[in-house]
């Protein structure tokens, strides 16, 4: 049921012709209230797309009644004209719904540096408004897909309230063309001052720890809307836990569908002096092309793990670090450990456990391998 | 003539059986004086290989009489036993040459985390010492190749003196398995206090601006030896210029031979507030897998250039940045510029020119594309 699983939300997904394939490409999610609390996190890329610039302004009020999303064009690096296109889209949707443009967030995904065909987009937005339905969540999830092979949705139950969500993305967190767009909805009663930190906690533990190809998109957007339709007010802890479960479920779906990937790799760094050190060391592995190609080749090349960690400023002594791959401690004390022949990498799931022996903190970063299909897909994307 | 082009150097390259192919794998370069000034730069990776640990100690004295190098094994992450192997190699070579172990640097390249077969290596070192010749430079250059498709050598003439050099490496600067090893020789009279800053200037303008795959090796080593055999003392400026020319020549050979690459990409960032900003922005492009795959696919995807630069803290305003690819200004003011159809990417050489319009500094970073062959070569390396 996706974003329409909680009470008081309607959604739709339609084909507006932005995609040459004729697949659905415009989605609309509407909050029918009674509350309109909202929060969002956006890309930190310094070339934010027009819809990001617009939606940041909208979300500054911590209120939101609708989100219109399109695939088939990112509307990024399109200058003042592109911003005008986003503004016109929000105005048009607001007119359809009888609300103000400032109540409407916009999110876009697709090729950078190309203007959107506004006649098609606005006609699609009209059609989406007419198609809105309390069962429309799955259609909306399909309409935001780009290189995704499957739609990504989640439903997580609280006590008398629900969190629903949809996501698109096939790179991650740091995705580029494979922008990550996420809409989360809930019928719990959650004031904005609770919603904002809950969303930061949820994304910090999920999307921000998935690093498939290290590239940061111009369009990444995560929006949550809370309408209080259930009449139930969870504690901040309860709500944060369920929202985090929803975000984590979507993040793992993004990881499993990463462009061209053949492996899901969980890199856990333990024994760190701080969580920041653990994340730094994990990310260095997740972004090391030599390690990622080795794992694609089913090669438990632990030397590349050390070489990656060796580029960071995390606290450790080189002769203290252990590395286990799929349970085999192939490196002990920064040197040769158990035989690498014992490591079975034939499955999709790979775990790399690094013990820095420098403290008591730990963190996990998820990534994918660097495959022939990744290169093929990303070299052929815009041609 | 490689490292034996200057007077007073002998070299050799022999097959010791470290490589299963039977190709040459042990090289020796000897300085016959009269001077023995030397300088070096080493990897900053925090898991330095045993030969790096040893050679750092040796070069601490700014004097050197010989370098023994092997391919077929990196002797990295091999613990105290691996350090003992390096020490024993230096001792053995010193005995052969009638000098002290502290006069002998060691460099190794190959797979990380595997002990070297010392019986083969020491026998090879003996053979290399017996084969030393004033014509041995080319043999030495061949013996340090790993995934290199061609040996890399250079000869640069000063006024009455010469700089020679050899290199191996096929990733860079930041290479991992494709460790970069470089030996430079000169018969100029160059005291250590001139040699050290000259080498730093030469590497800073050459190897450190080549960033093929963003990975930093455990074994990278650049050594220069000056024996004064010509009797000519150049000024520091003259010597630095010729040494830089030699280093740049070798760096461009490394770039052209990068593993699986189909493009040589020069990313020039101008209009920067500082050289550091220009380098940061250029490196962000050089390490962006989505951009590198696009270029492999002959796709002038300037949006990926902006998305990469947008992740940095370089000074710029998003609506001021221009990007030209092979001479066509495809992005102007952070938005759509001239038609991308006008960009011809079919050749091997690609230039990306970014104007940040934030200052007067500039710098160029060289990199390669991310190709199917890169993934294939690096996934199959150790299997």
């Amino acid at each position: 049921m996706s974003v329409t699983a909680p009470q008081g939300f309607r959604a739709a997904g339609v084909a507006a012709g932005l995609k040459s394939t004729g697949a659905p490409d415009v989605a609309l999610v509407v909050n029918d209230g009674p509350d309109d609390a909202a929060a969002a996190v956006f890309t930190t890329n310094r070339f934010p797309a027009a819809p990001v610039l617009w939606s940041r302004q909208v979300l500054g009020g911590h209120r939101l009644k609708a989100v219109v999303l399109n695939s088939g064009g990112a509307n990024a690096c399109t200058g003042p004209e592109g911003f005008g296109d986003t503004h016109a889209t929000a105005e048009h949707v607001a007119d359809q719904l009888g609300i103000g443009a400032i109540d409407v967030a916009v999110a876009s995904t697709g090729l950078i540096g190309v203007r959107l065909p506004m006649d098609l987009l606005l006609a699609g937005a009209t059609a989406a408004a007419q198609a809105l339905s309390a069962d429309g969540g799955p259609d909306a999830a399909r309409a935001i897909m780009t290189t995704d092979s499957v739609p990504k949705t989640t439903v997580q139950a609280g006590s008398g309230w629900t969190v629903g969500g949809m996501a698109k993305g096939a790179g991650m967190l740091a995705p580029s063309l494979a922008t990550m767009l996420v809409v989360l909805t809930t019928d719990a009663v959650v004031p904005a001052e609770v919603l904002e930190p809950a969303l930061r906690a949820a994304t910090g533990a999920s999307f921000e720890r998935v690093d498939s190809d290290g590239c940061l998109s111009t369009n990444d957007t995560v929006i949550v809307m809370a309408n209080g339709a259930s009449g139930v007010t969870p504690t901040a802890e309860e709500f944060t836990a369920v929202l985090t479960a929803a975000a984590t479920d979507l993040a793992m779906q993004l990881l499993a569908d990463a462009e061209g990937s053949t492996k899901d790799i969980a890199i856990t760094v333990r024994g760190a002096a701080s969580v920041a050190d653990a994340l730094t060391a994990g990310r260095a592995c997740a972004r090391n092309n030599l390690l990622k190609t080795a794992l694609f080749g089913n090669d438990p090349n632990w030397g590349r793990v050390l070489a990656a960690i060796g580029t960071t400023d995390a606290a450790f002594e080189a002769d203290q670090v252990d590395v286990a791959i799929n349970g085999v401690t192939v490196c002990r004390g920064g040197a040769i450990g158990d035989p690498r022949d014992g490591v079975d990498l034939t499955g999709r799931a790979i775990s790399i456990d690094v013990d820095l022996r420098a403290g008591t903190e730990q963190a996990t970063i998820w990534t994918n391998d660097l495959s022939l299909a990744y290169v093929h897909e990303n070299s052929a994307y815009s041609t």
Side-chain angles (χ1 to χ4, degrees), chain A:
Chain A
M1 287 293 288
S2 167
V3 289
T4 49
Q7 301 173 54
F9 289 94
R10 288 176 297 151
V14 301
L18 306 178
K19 285 178 180 166
S20 57
T21 58
D25 45 23
V26 172
L28 184 59
V29 182
V30 174
N31 172 10
D32 289 320
D35 301 341
D36 57 2
V41 295
F42 298 102
T43 181
T44 57
N45 196 297
R46 291 173 63 200
F47 289 97
V52 170
L53 291 171
W54 170 261
S55 298
R56 263 193 206 146
Q57 283 183 246
V58 168
L59 268 298
H62 308 293
R63 302 167 57 253
L64 194 67
K65 293 206 166 89
V67 189
V68 57
L69 310 95
N70 74 275
S71 51
N75 196 9
C77 305
T78 46
E81 296 81 3
F83 187 80
D85 291 343
T86 288
H87 189 175
T89 306
E91 290 276 9
H92 181 83
V93 169
D95 287 348
Q96 299 291 314
L97 301 176
I99 57 178
I102 195 65
D103 297 320
V104 181
V106 181
S108 301
T109 177
L111 197 61
I112 301 177
V114 179
R115 293 279 299 279
L116 290 168
M118 286 303 290
D119 50 342
L120 297 177
L121 176 56
L122 296 186
T126 302
Q130 289 164 352
L132 282 169
S133 145
D135 299 323
D139 287 348
R142 257 189 300 277
I144 59 174
M145 291 167 64
T146 56
T147 54
D148 309 64
S149 67
V150 290
K152 286 103 179 175
T153 65
T154 190
V155 178
Q156 302 288 328
S159 299
W161 51 277
T162 303
V163 170
M166 66 178 186
K168 71 76 46 181
M172 356 262 111
L173 163 66
S176 185
L177 286 193
T179 283
M180 181 184 70
L181 301 183
V182 179
V183 179
L184 295 158
T185 53
T186 185
D187 52 13
V189 179
V190 189
E193 60 268 26
V194 174
L195 200 55
E196 178 92 24
L199 182 63
R200 296 208 170 273
T203 55
S206 57
F207 304 117
E208 289 176 16
R209 297 198 178 179
V210 177
D211 193 334
S212 178
D213 70 3
C215 301
L216 181 70
S217 161
T218 53
N219 289 59
D220 294 338
T221 300
V222 182
I223 292 175
V224 60
M225 295 186 281
N227 67 8
S230 71
V232 180
T233 307
T235 67
E237 290 68 30
E238 284 171 341
F239 179 70
T240 302
V242 175
L243 190 69
T244 301
T248 303
D249 184 18
L250 291 172
M252 290 301 123
Q253 293 178 53
L254 295 171
L255 186 74
D257 197 30
E259 287 171 346
S261 67
T262 73
K263 307 288 185 189
D264 294 341
I265 305 160
I267 303 158
T268 299
V269 179
R270 62 185 85 250
S274 65
V275 170
D277 269 11
L279 290 171
T280 297
R283 259 185 223 288
C285 294
R287 296 183 176 184
N288 187 284
N289 281 352
L290 289 171
L291 174 60
K292 289 157 73 90
T293 48
L295 295 173
F296 169 62
N298 293 338
D299 171 9
N301 198 320
W302 58 268
R304 294 181 182 182
V305 175
L306 292 193
I309 293 171
T311 65
T312 73
D313 60 1
F316 66 79
E317 296 300 325
D319 63 354
Q320 294 291 310
V321 177
D322 295 347
V323 178
I325 301 180
N326 278 2
V328 180
T329 305
V330 283
C331 169
R332 198 170 274 123
I336 304 162
D338 297 339
R340 40 184 287 152
D341 303 351
V343 182
D344 179 4
L345 293 179
T346 53
R348 184 172 172 97
I350 295 179
S351 70
I352 298 179
D353 279 86
V354 177
D355 191 339
L356 296 179
R357 300 195 182 283
T360 58
E361 300 294 341
Q362 74 169 71
T364 299
I365 291 282
W366 288 273
T367 190
N368 298 107
D369 56 334
L370 176 52
S371 66
L372 293 169
Y374 174 92
V375 174
H376 181 74
E377 188 163 341
N378 284 294
S379 62
Y381 185 91
S382 77
T383 53

